[in-house]
Structure formats: structure tokens, C-alpha cells
Amino acid sequence: MNHHLTGAITLAGILIFGGVLQGCSTTVDRIETDEVVDLSGAWNDTDSRLVSEEMIADVLSRPWITDFVNKEGNPPAVIVGEIRNLSHEHINVNTFVGDMERELINSGKVEFVASSDERGEIREERKEQELHSTEATRNAMGQEIGADFMLKGSINSILDTEGKKQVRYYQIDLTLISMADNRKVWVGQKKIKKMVKQAGLRW
Amino acid sequence: MRRLVRPVCQVVRPLLLLLVVLTISGCVSTAYRDDPLEQFMVNQQASLALNTLEQLPQKNRDQALYHLNKAILLRMNDEFDKSNAELEIAKQIGANLEALSLREQAAAVSVNDAMRSYLPAPFERAMLYGLKIINYLEMNDLDGARVETLQLDVFLNQKFEEQEPPFARYLSGLVFDANGELSDALIAYRKSYEAYKAVEMKIPQQLQSDLLRLTDYLGLDDEHQDYLDQFQLDSWAHQTELEAQGEFIVVIFSGLLPRRHETAINAQDPRSGQLHRVAIPFYEQRQSDVENIELVSLNNRQQGELFEQLDQQAYDNLDDQMPGIIARAIARVTVKNQLVDNVSNQNQLLGVITNLAGFITEQADTRGWNSLPQQILLGRLTLAPEDYDIEIKLKGSAGEQITTKQLTQVSLQPGQKQFYSWHWPASHVTSRNRNHENTTSTTIYYRSR
């Protein structure tokens, strides 16, 4: 009897010890990139994806592209301007702007030119080519395509907090402005609202 | 067996008493702990202080303090990005610790207050946001500074029903001002003005000038006239003048926040022989070496001003906490006595050991963000757009020069603000007397400031 009891206690001890060890170790589970995982309530990849999906669907369905092609005979060239983060959080706007660029370029309806930040490096390389590359492979200066439209925008947020509850409201506004005459040819907007409840107790 | 134990206890208790008498002079004891980082900071050796901090044993419950101290040392080394990363970790820890831990509360009423995780005080958390803002400003990241300013606003609205930290509001005004959001800047400056009045601090002339400038520019004539009547300033910069010029803004973090120490009442019950102890924290008094600043460039001189007294905020915070601290200390005496009585009934020797353990573990919570400055001074120099060599002079209370720093080729652009900060932690303890708490062996009287 005692022998059985000792064995059961030893087994239970091993199981508990094993469980504790498992609880202490780091675990990694791969998940789908479109799976929604909200941990803190802050801006995350899901918000970024929702913004890019909404904006891409909207910008491609509006008549500004066909209007431009009918008039000029070529697809419009767009440059990404400043997208200001005026929200309460440090938000990386490059994620949804990158998504938008990719989708618009792949649609074949729009061309993107390098932004002001990217241009400097390209121009530096072109200067280097002038000095060091063969004439046949050299790219000449002054052949850049001028943008027809600039994409500008902002992210704003409103927080309403009471005790452990917080309502987070985000509004993302993107605008395409004609470089020729400052006309706004497209305005996209996405709103996201979340209710965040903080824990009242912890271990 | 009981016949044997009782004489042993009778011998042990006097020995314990002798030990207590030898270690503690009188029935009220005071304990001081030195901060190992302080000397390195005073000597401007932030890298050595960082090494020391890394080597110190870190308790899990003091995680927030570790990151907060590390953030200050990193910014002293001009590593603003890394400093912000540490401050962000501390911010998240603080947010998580807002939730109540029954385990820690139980430990606080049975062992001591320091068994709880360190949740930075509201004034410390406001400074956390403030330092992040200044880090972003020094990295010329106005949008980053603006994000933190919005978060600071939410925090201040949540945690301070009255007596907001005035510098936090002034700093918010500066960020909005630098971003060209003048309405928001005026709102922040107004709140700062109200906060200075609430804490009975002298309203900085720079703030007076800002309020006059913005109410004038935004056409708030009645409010402008009201400020004109109150401030009696001879001259102040108009918005159009300021937009045509560049501005150099220096923030000086002077001295170190006073440390908390422990004062304790030690007593023995004459009937049972049980030892009792109640320990509470108190603040030492400190004096910063730097009391004034002067900015000099070519023929332009501008005096800085005192914008924040963090030591006063620390004193006020302890005053607010003290009723709870005393209540928990008294609750601990009851819990520990009950435990000793129960154990003594079973085994007298074990009861003595339990009593001794309870006596030794009764310690005040003397933790605090000790690398914070004691006070904050700020100076603003407005100059025509150009590159300048600018000298920052730090001065003592009598106007004597303590040290100076020469910045070369500072580029000022029209309408832009350049930010620079400097820590000068040199300070000295002026008093370690318990000026503000009177303790007797029977009752604790705590006199509020």
C-alpha cells in the first residue's frame, strides 16, 4: 500500500515539476498573418492591414485614374508625401503605405516614383555611375519621371478613459493631391474604434 | 520539555534585547542607505554608473526602478533612443502594476511594504513622460514628442485631480508651440500657469511671456489684458517676431532627488517580553549646487529660471501616502503579534525566533527613483537665424559660476526650436534629521508639511 502511495506521489511530483518547467519556458506558435490577435489594445498589425485593405479598395474604384489616363494617355505617377502621426501612439505608417504601393503598382494602373527620402540615395548612386560605370550601362541624370499626384495624410486618435476602461478611436485620412493644380482627386478615410478594459487584479 | 524551554527563553530574550540595544541606540532608530550610483552621477561618469547598475542584484519587484534609473544614465550619455526604450518598458510595467495584487498586499501587511512591486509615484510617472518628450525633442523628432505629449495629457487628467506638475504642462505647451499648434500650446500654458499657482511656486517669466504672446496672437483680448494686469512685464516677444527667429532651449536637471530613509520605533512588551517594531520612511533634505543658469552667445545673454521642484513633489507624495503606510505598519504589528502568540503557545523557543524574524523584517519602504533631479531649470535664447557658438553657464545660489559648457555651430532656423538638456546631479545633504516626523514609543504623530 505504502509502495503504491509513494509511487503515486512521485508521479504527481514529476507532473507538477514538469508543468512548472513548461510554464517557465518560452513557447513560439506560428500563426496566420491575417489572424486577429489583440494583446494590449494598442495599434497593431490588424489595424494596419484593415487600413491598407480599405484604402486600396477605395482608391482603385474611384474615377481619378481613368480620368487621368483619358486625358494624358498614360498611367498616373504618384509620390508618397508626408503622412503625419498625430495620434496618441507611436505608429509605423510605412506598413500600410507599403501595402498600398504594392497593390497599386501590381494593378498596373498607377506608377510610383521614389519618395524624397529614397531619391537622395538613388541620385548619389547615379553620380557614382557617371564616374565609375561604362557608358553603355550608365544611367543619365535628368531622366526622372515627375510625379502627377502626391499621397499625403494623417492618423488622428481620440482616447476616452474612465477608471480601467478606455475607448480608443483612430481616424486615418489619406489624400491624393494633383501636383499640377493642387486639386484633391481622392480622399480616403478609415475609422477604427476599440474598447479596452484593463485588468483590476494580478498575481 | 516545557520545563526546559522556559528557562532557555528567559536567557535568550535578554540576549536578544542586548543585541537590539547594541544595534539600536534608544527606542527610536534611524537607518541610512547610500546609493551606489550617486557618486558616479555626480562625477558625470554615466558609463561607470551604468556598469554599476548592471552589476547590482535586481529584484523582480524593483524592475521599474531598474529601467527608470537606466534611462536617466543612458540620456546622460546622449543615448536618447535607448533611454526612450527603457522608459517605455518602465511605462508598461507601471501600467501593469496598476492592477491590484492580493498576494503583494498580503505580504505588505504581514512582512513589510517593500515586498510589493515598485509602482512609480504619479509625479515620477509624469517625469517619465517628460523625459521621453525631451529625448524626442533632442533627436529633433517633433512627432514622437507630440505622441508622448498626448499620452502625458491623458495621464495627468487621470492621475491628478488637483495640483498637476506644472513643468509637465509647460513642456506640453513647448511641444505644441514647436509644432505650430498654437491653440493647443496656449491651453497647455494656461494649465501650467494654474498648476504653478496651485503649488504656490513663482510663475516663470518665460511662461508669462508665452501666455501674453499667444493670447495676443489668437485675439483673446480680455484674457490678454487680464495677464497684462497680473504680470506687469515690460516687454515680451510677439508671435511674428518669434516666427522670424530661431530659438535655443536648454533644460538643466539640477541635483538629485532626496533619498528616503527609515525611522523606526522599537519597543518591548514588559509582560510577554515580545519585541515590537514600527518602521516608516522619511526624506532627507538636499541642496542642489546649481540654482541658476545663463545662456550666452555673442552679445546676447539670457538668464534661465526654475521651472520645477521635484523634491517638493516627492515630499507631498509621501505626505499623501503616510496615512496608508502607518495603517499598514500598525496592521503588521497586530498580525505579527498574533503569529508570535500562536507559535509561542506551541513552542516557546520557536515563538522567540518568530518574534525576532518579525522584528528584523519590519523595514520601511525606502525605494524611489533616486536618479531623478531635484529641480529643473530652463532657459530660452532667441536669435536671428544663423549658426552660433552658445555657452551654457551653471551658477550657484550666490551667482558664482560652477561650470560651463560651450556648444559650437548650433544652427538656428526661422521659427524652429533647438532643444538641449544637461544633467548636473551635484548636490549635498543638508539634513538627515527627522524634521517632519515626530515619533514616540507609543504613538506616531506625523506632521504634514
Side-chain angles (χ1 to χ4, degrees), chain B residues 275-434:
Chain B
L275 299 170
H276 302 301
R277 180 176 165 87
V278 173
I280 58 170
F282 74 96
Y283 272 112
E284 66 190 15
Q285 305 287 307
R286 269 185 183 252
Q287 174 72 48
S288 305
D289 289 5
V290 172
E291 294 278 309
N292 291 300
I293 57 169
E294 186 179 32
L295 307 180
V296 183
S297 181
L298 301 172
N299 295 326
N300 302 290
R301 287 174 182 274
Q302 187 66 51
Q303 299 291 327
E305 294 175 272
L306 176 66
F307 271 73
E308 189 74 284
Q309 286 181 296
L310 287 170
D311 53 351
Q312 195 56 51
Q313 291 184 27
Y315 299 147
D316 291 345
N317 178 60
L318 185 58
D319 284 348
D320 292 343
Q321 289 181 341
M322 195 48 77
I325 291 172
I326 292 172
R328 281 193 299 277
I330 292 167
R332 273 196 301 274
V333 171
T334 313
V335 168
K336 286 176 181 178
N337 285 357
Q338 192 63 48
L339 181 68
V340 172
D341 286 345
N342 290 345
V343 174
S344 294
N345 287 340
Q346 306 296 317
N347 183 319
Q348 284 221 332
L349 184 58
L350 211 55
V352 172
I353 293 167
T354 308
N355 184 209
L356 185 62
F359 184 87
I360 291 167
T361 55
E362 176 58 29
Q363 290 177 348
D365 187 358
T366 57
R367 296 172 296 174
W369 188 2
N370 292 338
S371 54
L372 268 183
Q374 184 176 357
Q375 52 189 28
I376 300 172
L377 303 145
L378 186 138
R380 294 170 70 165
L381 190 62
T382 309
L383 297 165
E386 210 178 304
D387 289 355
Y388 292 94
D389 291 345
I390 297 175
E391 188 180 13
I392 307 168
K393 294 180 176 179
L394 304 188
K395 297 179 173 183
S397 54
E400 78 282 11
Q401 187 169 307
I402 290 171
T403 187
T404 179
K405 186 179 267 190
Q406 186 81 31
L407 303 176
T408 55
Q409 295 290 301
V410 178
S411 179
L412 298 182
Q413 304 297 321
Q416 284 192 358
K417 299 183 196 310
Q418 282 282 327
F419 290 86
Y420 184 81
S421 68
W422 188 8
H423 287 257
W424 193 260
S427 58
H428 54 277
V429 177
T430 54
S431 170
R432 278 183 166 172
N433 294 327
R434 288 169 291 107

Side-chain angles (χ1 to χ4, degrees), chain B residues 77-358:
Chain B
N77 259 355
D78 292 344
E79 295 178 83
F80 303 116
D81 217 8
K82 288 182 182 173
S83 172
N84 270 354
E86 295 296 328
L87 289 168
E88 186 59 36
I89 295 170
K91 190 198 290 180
Q92 297 307 324
I93 292 172
N96 293 335
L97 291 179
E98 293 245 316
L100 186 72
S101 165
L102 296 177
R103 178 181 59 89
E104 289 184 359
Q105 293 302 322
V109 289
S110 55
V111 184
N112 62 46
D113 272 357
M115 295 299 289
R116 295 182 300 177
S117 294
Y118 186 79
L119 173 63
F123 85 94
E124 291 176 330
R125 291 171 76 185
M127 268 310 292
L128 183 160
Y129 288 102
L131 288 172
K132 276 197 90 176
I133 290 169
I134 296 169
N135 283 344
Y136 278 117
L137 291 173
E138 288 205 57
M139 292 189 287
N140 288 318
D141 183 351
L142 274 180
D143 281 354
R146 193 182 181 283
V147 167
E148 294 298 330
T149 303
L150 296 181
Q151 289 186 17
L152 174 63
D153 180 58
V154 173
F155 178 77
L156 293 176
N157 290 338
Q158 255 189 312
K159 300 291 175 188
F160 293 87
E161 286 175 5
E162 50 190 39
Q163 294 207 354
E164 290 184 335
F167 179 70
R169 286 296 186 190
Y170 185 76
L171 191 59
S172 304
L174 273 180
V175 173
F176 289 127
D177 217 343
N179 264 302
E181 296 167 276
L182 301 183
S183 301
D184 288 333
L186 176 61
I187 292 166
Y189 288 144
R190 268 189 207 135
K191 287 184 176 176
S192 177
Y193 171 60
E194 294 302 327
Y196 278 113
K197 283 202 295 187
V199 297
E200 297 176 352
M201 260 183 85
K202 187 184 166 198
I203 314 289
Q205 277 201 3
Q206 185 60 56
L207 174 58
Q208 298 178 19
S209 175
D210 291 326
L211 285 167
L212 286 169
R213 168 173 58 90
L214 290 179
T215 47
D216 174 54
Y217 183 74
L218 296 170
L220 303 168
D221 298 336
D222 291 345
E223 190 178 353
H224 182 72
Q225 188 58 49
D226 192 27
Y227 289 139
L228 274 177
D229 296 340
Q230 285 182 54
F231 299 153
Q232 310 287 322
L233 280 188
D234 295 332
S235 64
W236 40 273
H238 289 260
Q239 182 62 25
T240 45
E241 294 167 8
L242 212 58
E243 282 172 2
Q245 296 189 303
E247 202 172 6
F248 183 66
I249 300 174
V250 176
V251 181
I252 301 295
F253 298 107
S254 169
L256 286 170
L257 205 64
R259 269 67 175 145
R260 279 184 180 194
H261 301 290
E262 175 186 287
T263 186
I265 307 160
N266 309 296
Q268 188 182 28
D269 186 335
R271 286 176 300 171
S272 65
Q274 268 195 38
L275 299 170
H276 302 301
R277 180 176 165 87
V278 173
I280 58 170
F282 74 96
Y283 272 112
E284 66 190 15
Q285 305 287 307
R286 269 185 183 252
Q287 174 72 48
S288 305
D289 289 5
V290 172
E291 294 278 309
N292 291 300
I293 57 169
E294 186 179 32
L295 307 180
V296 183
S297 181
L298 301 172
N299 295 326
N300 302 290
R301 287 174 182 274
Q302 187 66 51
Q303 299 291 327
E305 294 175 272
L306 176 66
F307 271 73
E308 189 74 284
Q309 286 181 296
L310 287 170
D311 53 351
Q312 195 56 51
Q313 291 184 27
Y315 299 147
D316 291 345
N317 178 60
L318 185 58
D319 284 348
D320 292 343
Q321 289 181 341
M322 195 48 77
I325 291 172
I326 292 172
R328 281 193 299 277
I330 292 167
R332 273 196 301 274
V333 171
T334 313
V335 168
K336 286 176 181 178
N337 285 357
Q338 192 63 48
L339 181 68
V340 172
D341 286 345
N342 290 345
V343 174
S344 294
N345 287 340
Q346 306 296 317
N347 183 319
Q348 284 221 332
L349 184 58
L350 211 55
V352 172
I353 293 167
T354 308
N355 184 209
L356 185 62

Side-chain angles (χ1 to χ4, degrees), chain A residues 48-169:
Chain A
S48 182
R49 184 168 47 79
L50 288 175
V51 171
S52 60
E53 282 172 2
E54 173 103 5
M55 294 294 183
I56 290 162
D58 196 58
V59 75
L60 286 174
S61 65
R62 302 294 176 182
W64 67 278
I65 301 176
T66 47
D67 289 352
F68 184 86
V69 174
N70 290 341
K71 190 177 170 190
E72 301 293 332
N74 56 284
V78 177
I79 187 169
V80 177
E82 188 182 24
I83 295 172
R84 285 200 73 188
N85 174 20
L86 302 175
S87 76
H88 290 73
E89 287 175 48
H90 297 282
I91 292 173
N92 186 353
V93 297
N94 293 333
T95 51
F96 64 81
V97 172
D99 282 349
M100 283 187 71
E101 275 192 64
R102 191 194 68 241
E103 288 297 320
L104 291 174
I105 291 168
N106 290 346
S107 74
K109 295 177 180 174
V110 178
E111 290 174 346
F112 267 86
V113 295
S115 68
S116 59
D117 289 342
E118 295 164 327
R119 275 199 305 262
E121 192 181 352
I122 306 291
R123 285 174 183 167
E124 199 59 40
E125 175 60 23
R126 211 176 282 134
K127 269 188 203 168
E128 293 283 311
Q129 287 185 355
E130 287 283 328
L131 285 173
H132 305 293
S133 303
T134 62
E135 200 171 337
T137 59
R138 192 179 296 160
N139 285 288
M141 298 279 199
Q143 300 297 311
E144 293 177 9
I145 295 174
D148 302 304
F149 299 97
M150 180 179 270
L151 182 70
K152 286 178 70 65
S154 64
I155 302 177
N156 284 277
S157 66
I158 300 169
L159 295 193
D160 187 15
T161 307
E162 176 61 45
K164 302 281 181 194
K165 291 182 184 171
Q166 190 174 62
V167 174
R168 293 176 179 231
Y169 173 81

Side-chain angles (χ1 to χ4, degrees), chain B residues 19-39:
Chain B
L19 181 72
V20 169
V21 168
L22 285 174
T23 51
I24 302 162
S25 56
C27 61
V28 177
S29 66
T30 308
Y32 302 107
R33 286 192 189 88
D34 288 325
D35 187 338
L37 304 179
E38 181 173 336
Q39 202 51 51

Side-chain angles (χ1 to χ4, degrees), chain B residues 6-22:
Chain B
R6 191 173 290 276
V8 170
C9 291
Q10 282 169 352
V11 175
V12 170
R13 273 200 207 281
L15 283 175
L16 284 175
L17 270 177
L18 182 66
L19 181 72
V20 169
V21 168
L22 285 174

